[in-house]
Structures are given as C-alpha cells and as structure tokens.
Amino acid sequence: DAGVIQSPRHEVTEMGQEVTLRCKPISGHDYLFWYRQTMMRGLELLIYFNNNVPIDDSGMPEDRFSAKMPNASFSTLKIQPSEPRDSAVYFCASSYSGSANEQFFGPGTRLTVL
Amino acid sequence: DAKTTQPPSMDCAEGRAANLPCNHSTISGNEYVYWYRQIHSQGPQYIIHGLKNNETNEMASLIITEDRKSSTLILPHATLRDTAVYYCIVRDKAAGNKLTFGGGTRVLVKP
C-alpha cells in the first residue's frame, strides 16, 4: 500500500482565495483524521470521520473551514476564504478500528497564505 | 484524556540507549499510553502503546510503572535517524479515536 496520500504537497495562495486539500486514506481504514500543525499551537486535531461520517469537528477553527468525506477513499478539507493565519502544515491520517488504532499519517500539505 | 508531561528536549549518544520519560499522574484505568514520533518535515509515526504491562516491538520498549503514573520509552540503540520529536499521549480507547498531541520531547542523537 502507498500509505496515506495527500495533495498538493505545497500550496501558496493569496488571502481570500479558496483552498482545497485532498487526502486518500489507506485502503480498508475506517477512520480519517485532519490535523493542523503550527509552531505556535503544535499539532491540533481539526476533525475526524468514521465510516465517512464526521464524528467530532470541535477542532475546526471557524466556519471558513469545512471537511467532507464523500466515500471511503477520499476526503477534502476546504478553507474559504483563506487568511494568512491559516498558514500551516495540514496532515491527514487514517486508522483501522480493528487494530491498535495506530494512526498512519500522510506527508502533509504545507499551506502558505499571503 | 489525561494530560502528559515530558521534558522539552534531550540529547543522547549514537549507539546508546535513549530513555524518554513521560508523566501521566492523572491517568485512569481505561486509558492507554501511546508513543508517536515526528521526524523533521514528516508526519507523525506510531511507535508503541500499552495499558499496564511492558511492551516491546521492533522499534522500542515501553516501560509503565506499576501505579501507571509514568512511563519510559526506550530506544535500545539510538541512531542518527532517531532524531525527532517524541510524543507521549494518553488515550481512552472507549472515548473515541482522538489523539491529543502535547509539546513532546525533542530528541537529538549525536554521533
């Protein structure tokens, strides 16, 4: 398996633009997580899904952020409109409930909002 | 989930064992101890987890004290590639699959 796949790996955009980050979890995994990492706040959980259903979105900073999981092999995190303070590395992770719940992380998307 | 306390940084010598401490004095009976690490510019990587008993796998050993208020991650023979931030996380499996990452310990393995 190729592991968790994220795209793009790097994104530079201007304030006010819409940004869409994509994630393909490991096949067979039933949990998907979106995290954000900054120097100031560390690694924060934004939202997670179980069987494509959002379970906990309490970490989503505000209404500008939305996440979807239309099927078991794809998820998106959208920011509209983007702001400079959204600049961060965004990680997607997946796990399988039948295992040790070990989460497998993708390589991340480095987002810069100018 | 219970809070954990880790030293912010530590150095260790290549080839020697690295012992990483973690305090979790408010841990409850259902909570597991997980360890992850994050090598620079990569996503976090699972290392090991345990409940009460000591655990060992191909990466590391986890020693949990009898009262479960603290634990130690042991990297038996540290290499330069083990330089990373190591996170100790306490998690109740029954409460969902969330992981709450703290500041971790920045480990520098020196030649």
Side-chain angles (χ1 to χ4, degrees), chain A residues 45-62:
Chain A
L45 177 66
L46 299 177
I47 185 172
Y48 78 94
F49 296 82
N50 178 219
N51 292 321
N52 314 334
V53 176
I55 302 300
D56 185 343
D57 65 355
S58 59
M60 295 286 263
E62 48 197 275

Side-chain angles (χ1 to χ4, degrees), chain B residues 4-86:
Chain B
T4 62
T5 303
Q6 299 178 252
S9 64
M10 62 183 291
D11 294 346
C12 63
E14 184 181 22
R16 305 294 294 270
N19 298 301
L20 282 61
C22 180
N23 285 324
H24 30 79
S25 58
T26 60
I27 193 169
S28 65
N30 297 325
E31 291 180 312
Y32 286 71
V33 180
Y34 281 75
W35 284 83
Y36 279 73
R37 74 179 182 183
Q38 187 174 22
I39 295 170
H40 182 62
S41 296
Q42 297 181 21
Q45 176 191 25
Y46 167 84
I47 301 173
I48 199 167
H49 79 286
L51 182 63
K52 291 187 218 177
N53 300 322
N54 298 338
E55 302 287 344
T56 295
N57 63 20
E58 64 280 2
M59 288 182 70
S61 295
L62 174 60
I63 308 299
I64 302 174
T65 58
E66 196 167 336
D67 63 6
R68 302 209 323 122
K69 293 185 177 183
S70 66
S71 60
T72 301
L73 180 75
I74 301 173
L75 308 177
H77 304 286
T79 70
L80 299 180
R81 285 177 292 183
D82 291 322
T83 292
V85 178
Y86 287 76

